[in-house]
Amino acid sequence: MAENNEKTTMSRRRFIKNSSYVAGGAIGGGVLGTVLGRNLLNDNQGTAPKESSGDSSQNFNRALMYFTREKDFNILSQATERIFPEDDNGPGAIALGVPFFIDHQLAGAYGHNDREYMQGPFYPGSDFQGYQTRLKRHEVFDVGIQAMDRESQKEFDASFEELEGEQQDQILKKLQDGDVELKGVTSSTFFELLRSATIEGAYSDPLYGGNGNMEGWMMKEFPGNYMSYIDEIGEEEFITKEPKALRAHISTQ
Amino acid sequence: MATELEKVEIVTVGVGWTGGIIAAELAKEGAQVVGLERGKGRSTEDFQHIHDEYRYAIRYELMQDLSRETITFRNHRDERALPMRQLGSFLLGEGLGGAGVHWNGQTWRFLPYDLEIKSKTDERYGENKLGDDYTLQDWGISYDELEPYFYQFEKTAGISGEENPKGAPRNNPYPTPPMKETPITQRFKDAANSLNLNPFHIPSGNLSETYENPDGETINQCQYCGFCERFGCEYGAKSTPNMTVIPTALGTDNFELRMHSNVTELMYDGDTVTGVRYTDLQTGEEFIQPADIVVLTSYVMNNVRLLLNSGIGRPYDPETRSGVIGKNYCYQILPGANGFFEEEKFNTYMGAGSLGAAVDDYNGDNFDHSDVDFIHGGVAAITQTGQRPINNNTVPNDTPNWGAEFKSQSIKYYHRVLAVGAQGASIPHRNNYLSLDPDYKDIFGQPLLRMTYDYTEQDRKLHNYLSEKCAEIVREMGADNVEPREISDHYNIVPYQTTHNTGGVIMGADPDTSAVNNYLQMWDVDNLFVVGASAFAHNGGYNPTGTVGALAYRAAEGIKKFREENGQLVQGKRSSKQV
Ligand SMILES: Cc1cc2nc3c(=O)[nH]c(=O)nc-3n(C[C@H](O)[C@H](O)[C@H](O)COP(=O)(O)OP(=O)(O)OC[C@H]3O[C@@H](n4cnc5c(N)ncnc54)[C@H](O)[C@@H]3O)c2cc1C
Ligand code: SF4
C-alpha cells in the first residue's frame, strides 16, 4: 500500500515541478484567491489537479475542525502560502495541506494550550520572557486573522484575500514587526505562531494533515521515518531515499 | 486528610538517572526503597512509533506538563518574574527515567580543574581574576576521589568512547569502543589536526555495540536512526535509567515504584526529615510516606523548590550574600560557528544523539588565561545527531525567516550546513540564583520556583573567544561561508539552548557556603541527601550527566555509610567569619 503511494507521489512531484505556473508568483494574489476560494474545500490537494493526487480520490481529513467561517480559513491559507510559497522546489503551504494542519491543531491540545501554564496574573513581559498572553493559541489566531483583514481594508481598501501577494506580504511584515494593534496579544506573537505553525505543517508527518504526500520532505530530501542508517552513515556520497511516513510503520491497517 | 502509610527505609523523590542509581545501589544492599515519580511509566515498547518530529521534538510529549507546575523567570532582580508558560530554553523531564529517556547521551567527566576551580584559578592567576561578584567555589572533593564513581556510572551505562588527550585522566578504558567514524566527524578531525588540536570521538550513551552491564542489564547496538535526543529509543540502544538501573532495582524485590505520585513537601521537624507528603495525581488522594532517609532526586528545579517550600536550609539572599539554598544557579553558553558549503551535501539526516567529534584544547584551564579577562572555556564539537526538517532551517544571516527566499535557501542548505559548537562553562554570579516566587503557584497552591538569571561579562567574553575558535575549525573544514554565533543581549527563556541547569543546592567543604557535603548529604539535616546537578558549584564546559552520575554513585556510597554510622559523614571546614 505504502509502496504504491510513494510511486504516485514521485510522479506527482515531477508534475508540480513542471507546472509551477499553477500558483507561481507570476499570478496575482487576487486570481490565486478566487481559484483557491473555489477549490480548497472540495479538492483534496488544494491547487493540485485531481489526477495527480497521491491518495485515493477522497481525503476526508480535509474539512474544518476549528474554523467556522471559510473566509477566515481562506485568509489563513493565503497567509501560509506567502510564508511558504509554491516555487521551483515544489508545492507551497496550500498544496501541502498546511491550512488544514493548522485548523486541526487549533481544535486540539495545541490550540487550547493544554500542557502550558495558563494561570494568571498576566503581564506583557519582556522580549526574553516568552508567551505571556491570557489568550490561548486558538484565540490568538482568531484575533490575528481578524486583524489581518481589518488592516487590509485600512491600507488597501480590500479584503486580505483580494490583495496582491506583495500587498499581503506588507501586512504580514507589519504583524511581524509588532506594528498592528491586537486585543490581548502582540501582533508579533501572533505572527510567530503563524510562521512556526506553517513550517510545522509543511514538514511534520503527513498523519497530521500537512506535508501532503510527503512532498515537504521530498523537497528537502528528508526521508522521514527510516529505522536504521547503520550501514549507510559511513558513506561519502549523499544518499537520496524514497521517504516513508509513520503510516508505513503500523501493522494493523 | 492525608493517609499516613507504613514507614519505609528510603524514599526517592523522582525516578530518573539519579533516583534510579540510588534505588539500584541501595536495593542491592537490601534496603527497602520506595521511588515516587510523578509522571507515567514507559519503556522501549512505548517507543515503536516514535519517529514523529512534531509530536516529540516540537510539542514535547515526553517532557514536563507545565499546566501543573512551571518556573518563573526574570533577567534581573528589579524585574517582575513571569511564568515560563511553555517549554523552550530547557526541556524538563517527567515520567519514569526522567530526562534520561530523551537525552542525547553525551557522557563526560568534568575536569580536575572544575572540582577545584577556585583554588586552581587563584593559584595560577592570583586571587582576583574575575572580581568579587563571581561566587566561585571548590566542590569539596577532588577528581581523584571522584574517579572511581565516574567509572561506575560509565560501566553501568556502557559508554562508548576513546582516549581524550586533554580530558580528565582515566584509570580504565571506556566499556565499549567509540561510535562510527563518518565523513562529517572525519572532516572535523582532519581540520582539528591541521590546526594542531587534539580531536577525539564524543563519549556516547548510544552504544557502538551490544553490551551487558555489571548488573546483567543489556543495552543494544545503536542504529544511527536520527531520532534520538527528545525521543525515546525504539531499539533499547540508548543508555537510559529504564534500560539499566531501574530494572536492576526492581529485580531485587526491594524497590517499589509508585507512579503518578507528586511530592509536595518534605516532613521536617527542625532537625531531621521524617518523610514526604505526596498526591496521587490520578485519584487526588494525599499520602504521607514516613522514611528513615529521604533522597531528593527530582532535578535541579524541584530539588531547590522542595527544600524552600518545606522550610529546610537557609535561603540564599543576593543582597547580603548569606544563605545557600538557591545559590550559584548556572547554565551554559553556546558559542559556535555555522559553515555553509556550496558544492557538497552531507548525510546530516542520519545520526545519533552522541555521534560526533570534539576537541578539549579550549576547555577548562587547558590553555593559558593570563592574557584574557575570563576563565574556563568549553568543549568544541561537531555533532551528527540527525537533522529533522521542522527544527533545522539554518540559512545565512541575511536571509528573512519566511517567504520565497527563506524557503529556497532553507531547502538548499538543509544538507549543506555543518556547525561547530562549544558548550561554554558557566561561572556563578551573585545575582544569578533561585528562590520562591511571591505570586505564582502550582496546582496545589504552592509557590513556583523563581529563576533570576542573565549573562555576565565573563559569559560574553568567553562566548566571543570560543565562537572565533569554532569559526577557525569550520574554515579549516573548507566551508565557503562561515558565520560565528553571537550572544544575545540577555538570556532568553524562549529558544531551546540546553537542559544543563545546575546549582542551587551546591556541594562544598564549608557548611557556611555550601548546602551539602561531598556525599551530597545536607549539612543541616543528616538524613536528607540532595542528588543531581543541583550540587554543582558551577557549570563546566561539558554536558552534565556523566558528572551527575558519578555524584549519584558517590551519594549512594554515603547513604550506605549513613545506614551504619548515622550522623554527619563529613567534618565541615568553616573558613569564614560569618555567624
Ligand atoms: C533533550 C535533552 C538532551 C540532553 N542531552 C544530554 C547529553 O547529551 N548529555 C548529558 O550529560 N545530559 C544531557 N541532558 C541532561 C540529562 O537528561 C539530565 O542531566 C539528566 O537526565 C538528569 O537526571 P536527574 O535524575 O537529575 O533528573 P531527571 O531526569 O529530570 O529526573 C527527575 C525526575 O523527578 C521527577 N519529579 C520532579 N519533581 C517531582 C515531584 N515533586 N514529585 C515526584 N517526582 C518528581 C520528574 O518527573 C523526573 O522524572 C539532556 C537533556 C535533554 C532534555
Ligand atoms: S540514534 Fe541510536 S540510540 Fe538514538 S534512538 Fe536511534 S538507535 Fe536509539
Side-chain angles (χ1 to χ4, degrees):
Chain A
M1 274 245 329
E3 290 299 302
N4 275 342
N5 281 341
E6 275 153 24
K7 289 212 188 76
T8 354
T9 296
M10 287 310 261
S11 57
R12 170 159 190 257
R13 180 175 180 222
R14 249 168 261 129
F15 178 85
I16 292 258
K17 275 207 149 177
N18 298 336
S19 61
S20 50
Y21 64 88
V22 173
I27 297 180
V31 181
L32 182 63
T34 7
V35 171
L36 296 175
R38 191 157 27 80
N39 268 353
L40 208 52
L41 296 171
N42 43 35
D43 182 292
N44 68 358
Q45 288 298 330
T47 58
K50 268 218 165 65
E51 69 274 17
S52 76
S53 146
D55 219 327
S56 55
S57 58
Q58 284 176 308
N59 181 344
F60 294 105
N61 187 266
R62 297 211 166 179
L64 298 183
M65 275 184 207
Y66 175 71
F67 286 100
T68 49
R69 298 189 205 170
E70 283 187 33
K71 180 182 165 84
D72 293 344
F73 184 70
N74 288 340
I75 292 174
L76 171 76
S77 299
Q78 291 194 33
T80 61
E81 184 72 19
R82 294 311 298 175
I83 290 170
F84 197 85
E86 179 133 13
D87 66 0
D88 288 350
N89 290 294
I94 290 177
L96 290 170
V98 169
F100 288 103
F101 165 87
I102 295 177
D103 170 76
H104 298 358
Q105 286 299 310
L106 290 176
Y110 165 86
H112 293 261
N113 301 47
D114 276 2
R115 300 181 76 235
E116 269 103 39
Y117 187 84
M118 292 302 284
Q119 292 183 42
F122 292 88
Y123 300 98
S126 77
D127 288 349
F128 304 91
Q129 290 176 305
Y131 195 95
Q132 293 299 339
T133 168
R134 77 169 64 234
L135 301 183
K136 294 182 172 172
R137 292 189 187 97
H138 73 93
E139 297 169 302
V140 175
F141 272 85
D142 287 349
V143 169
I145 288 170
Q146 281 161 22
M148 277 163 72
D149 210 36
R150 216 172 42 235
E151 214 43 41
S152 307
Q153 294 290 356
K154 204 168 85 191
E155 299 259 332
F156 303 109
D157 210 14
S159 164
F160 186 82
E161 302 158 273
E162 290 155 14
L163 302 184
E164 298 292 323
E166 263 133 50
Q167 295 173 320
Q168 293 178 328
D169 287 355
Q170 282 179 42
I171 304 283
L172 290 170
K173 186 84 183 57
K174 237 180 131 173
L175 287 165
Q176 181 172 33
D177 293 344
D179 290 342
V180 180
E181 195 69 31
L182 305 191
K183 196 172 167 197
V185 64
T186 62
S187 70
S188 49
T189 301
F190 163 63
F191 182 83
E192 187 45 34
L193 279 182
L194 173 66
R195 190 192 70 83
S196 45
T198 302
I199 310 285
E200 285 157 13
Y203 294 130
S204 52
D205 193 282
L207 85 89
Y208 295 98
N211 187 15
N213 286 323
M214 304 187 281
E215 293 194 40
W217 288 349
M218 281 185 235
M219 283 187 279
K220 246 183 160 176
E221 295 182 285
F222 177 70
N225 169 35
Y226 272 77
M227 295 308 289
S228 173
Y229 296 120
I230 192 168
D231 295 329
E232 292 158 301
I233 194 158
E235 302 279 326
E236 280 292 338
E237 71 279 7
F238 183 75
I239 301 175
T240 313
K241 298 169 95 65
E242 296 255 311
K244 274 193 206 160
L246 273 168
R247 175 169 133 173
H249 210 75
I250 195 158
S251 49
T252 50
Q253 59 174 313
Chain B
M1 262 301 281
T3 309
E4 183 151 340
L5 302 167
E6 218 164 285
K7 187 171 177 179
V8 296
E9 193 180 345
I10 301 174
V11 163
T12 78
V13 180
V15 186
W17 266 125
T18 55
I21 288 170
I22 299 297
E25 288 308 292
L26 274 301
K28 283 194 280 184
E29 291 282 298
Q32 296 297 312
V33 185
V34 167
L36 299 174
E37 166 56 54
R38 67 181 176 188
K40 60 183 178 185
R42 49 197 184 181
S43 66
T44 305
E45 207 183 334
D46 294 293
F47 306 141
Q48 297 309 305
H49 300 270
I50 196 110
H51 285 195
D52 184 338
E53 182 185 14
Y54 184 63
R55 180 172 176 183
Y56 295 101
I58 306 294
R59 303 262 71 88
Y60 305 133
E61 180 157 314
L62 295 176
M63 288 106 183
Q64 184 170 316
D65 179 350
L66 297 188
S67 71
R68 296 203 194 101
E69 175 195 317
T70 184
I71 60 145
T72 68
F73 162 71
R74 58 183 181 176
N75 284 122
H76 303 289
R77 277 199 273 154
D78 50 16
E79 213 178 1
R80 187 201 311 269
L82 295 177
M84 174 178 81
R85 297 191 179 276
Q86 53 193 27
L87 288 168
S89 172
F90 41 86
L91 300 172
L92 301 168
E94 180 176 284
L96 192 60
V101 163
H102 50 76
W103 73 319
N104 293 60
Q106 301 171 19
T107 309
W108 303 93
R109 299 175 169 200
F110 274 19
L111 296 163
Y113 169 71
D114 280 308
L115 300 173
E116 296 170 84
I117 189 167
K118 171 77 174 140
S119 316
K120 292 193 177 192
T121 304
D122 288 357
E123 199 180 292
R124 191 163 172 189
Y125 306 108
E127 286 219 350
N128 211 16
K129 174 82 177 161
L130 288 184
D132 181 48
D133 285 339
Y134 294 87
T135 45
L136 207 58
Q137 283 181 212
D138 290 350
W139 292 38
I141 195 164
S142 71
Y143 177 76
D144 289 344
E145 287 169 283
L146 210 49
E147 203 281 340
Y149 303 105
F150 277 112
Y151 189 51
Q152 209 175 345
F153 180 61
E154 291 162 357
K155 269 193 306 185
T156 304
I159 302 306
S160 303
E162 65 184 358
E163 190 58 35
N164 165 8
K166 298 273 176 182
R170 309 177 54 83
N171 293 341
N172 301 279
Y174 283 100
T176 52
M179 298 192 88
K180 278 180 181 286
E181 197 77 70
T182 74
I184 294 175
T185 55
Q186 190 60 59
R187 185 109 165 198
F188 173 91
K189 288 181 179 176
D190 291 345
N193 279 323
S194 63
L195 292 168
N196 291 318
L197 304 172
N198 294 275
F200 60 97
H201 245 50
I202 292 177
S204 167
N206 324 131
L207 299 204
S208 59
E209 60 187 34
T210 299
Y211 171 78
E212 185 180 321
N213 81 4
D215 297 315
E217 311 296 345
T218 300
I219 307 159
N220 295 315
Q221 181 185 39
C222 171
Q223 299 299 310
Y224 303 83
C225 76
F227 286 77
C228 197
E229 77 285 353
R230 304 189 181 186
F231 303 85
C233 178
E234 68 275 27
Y235 289 102
K238 192 196 293 191
S239 194
T240 65
N242 314 53
M243 293 298 297
T244 57
V245 287
I246 295 169
T248 296
L250 290 169
T252 63
D253 288 335
N254 295 325
F255 179 52
E256 187 198 337
L257 196 52
R258 290 187 209 143
M259 305 307 299
H260 309 285
S261 302
N262 193 116
V263 174
T264 51
E265 187 189 351
L266 309 189
M267 315 306 290
Y268 177 54
D269 65 12
D271 180 30
T272 57
V273 166
T274 58
V276 302
R277 182 193 297 274
Y278 72 94
T279 300
D280 182 322
L281 292 171
Q282 289 182 315
T283 63
E285 270 177 291
E286 204 180 41
F287 298 96
I288 288 171
Q289 176 61 67
D292 291 331
I293 301 171
V294 173
V295 193
L296 272 179
T297 52
S298 57
Y299 197 62
V300 174
M301 307 303 167
N302 266 299
N303 284 358
V304 175
R305 190 168 87 106
L306 283 166
L307 291 177
L308 293 174
N309 274 337
S310 310
I312 300 174
R314 293 167 299 127
Y316 171 70
D317 178 347
E319 200 52 55
T320 60
R321 307 178 70 156
S322 61
V324 285
I325 310 299
K327 181 176 138 174
N328 282 25
Y329 172 75
C330 290
Y331 193 48
Q332 224 157 33
I333 51 169
L334 296 177
N338 294 332
F340 297 85
F341 293 76
E342 296 297 327
E343 307 300 331
E344 288 171 273
K345 281 163 82 178
F346 304 91
N347 288 313
T348 43
Y349 62 87
M350 307 176 185
S354 317
L355 177 63
V359 292
D360 260 337
D361 300 75
Y362 306 119
N363 201 354
D365 209 27
N366 288 345
F367 62 103
D368 185 8
H369 292 70
S370 300
D371 295 333
V372 294
D373 43 9
F374 59 84
I375 62 166
H376 215 307
V379 65
I382 193 153
T383 56
Q384 188 177 353
T385 58
Q387 289 208 349
R388 297 167 298 266
I390 303 175
N391 258 325
N392 292 282
N393 288 291
T394 309
V395 287
N397 276 337
D398 51 8
T399 315
N401 70 354
W402 59 280
E405 193 187 346
F406 168 75
K407 183 187 174 193
S408 61
Q409 293 287 71
S410 59
I411 289 174
K412 172 180 170 188
Y413 285 113
Y414 185 47
H415 299 290
R416 296 172 192 270
V417 178
L418 297 181
V420 172
Q423 298 190 46
S426 175
I427 305 303
H429 188 279
R430 64 180 293 192
N431 290 333
N432 289 335
Y433 70 109
L434 303 171
S435 55
L436 289 179
D437 191 275
D439 300 318
Y440 291 95
K441 309 271 191 280
D442 67 8
I443 47 160
F444 302 103
Q446 296 202 329
L448 298 183
L449 189 73
R450 176 176 66 184
M451 175 188 295
T452 306
Y453 182 75
D454 204 358
Y455 298 130
T456 61
E457 277 307 298
Q458 147 81 28
D459 286 330
R460 292 177 197 284
K461 288 169 186 156
L462 179 58
H463 194 286
N464 288 344
Y465 179 85
L466 288 175
S467 280
E468 197 32 58
K469 295 298 176 196
C470 293
E472 277 171 22
I473 302 174
V474 184
R475 276 184 212 112
E476 190 66 27
M477 287 168 67
D480 296 294
N481 169 22
V482 177
E483 295 183 344
R485 290 184 205 144
E486 282 169 23
I487 194 164
S488 66
D489 288 347
H490 296 284
Y491 167 64
N492 189 342
I493 198 90
V494 179
Y496 184 71
Q497 288 149 70
T498 70
T499 310
H500 302 166
N501 320 80
T502 66
V505 197
I506 63 173
M507 60 194 292
D510 180 351
D512 286 331
T513 58
S514 61
V516 293
N517 65 30
N518 65 31
Y519 287 103
L520 308 197
Q521 179 186 32
M522 285 277 298
W523 289 115
D524 298 354
V525 188
D526 293 348
N527 69 336
L528 177 57
F529 291 75
V530 187
V531 186
S534 51
F536 289 14
H538 72 278
N539 200 4
Y542 295 122
N543 315 62
T545 311
T547 304
V548 168
L551 290 176
Y553 279 103
R554 170 76 182 173
E557 180 117 330
I559 296 168
K560 290 176 201 170
K561 274 176 85 149
F562 180 78
R563 291 177 75 213
E564 280 154 24
E565 297 170 16
N566 270 304
Q568 269 296 314
L569 301 170
V570 179
Q571 184 79 46
K573 291 185 202 124
R574 283 198 158 77
S575 59
S576 55
K577 346 83 215 165
Q578 275 171 295
V579 227

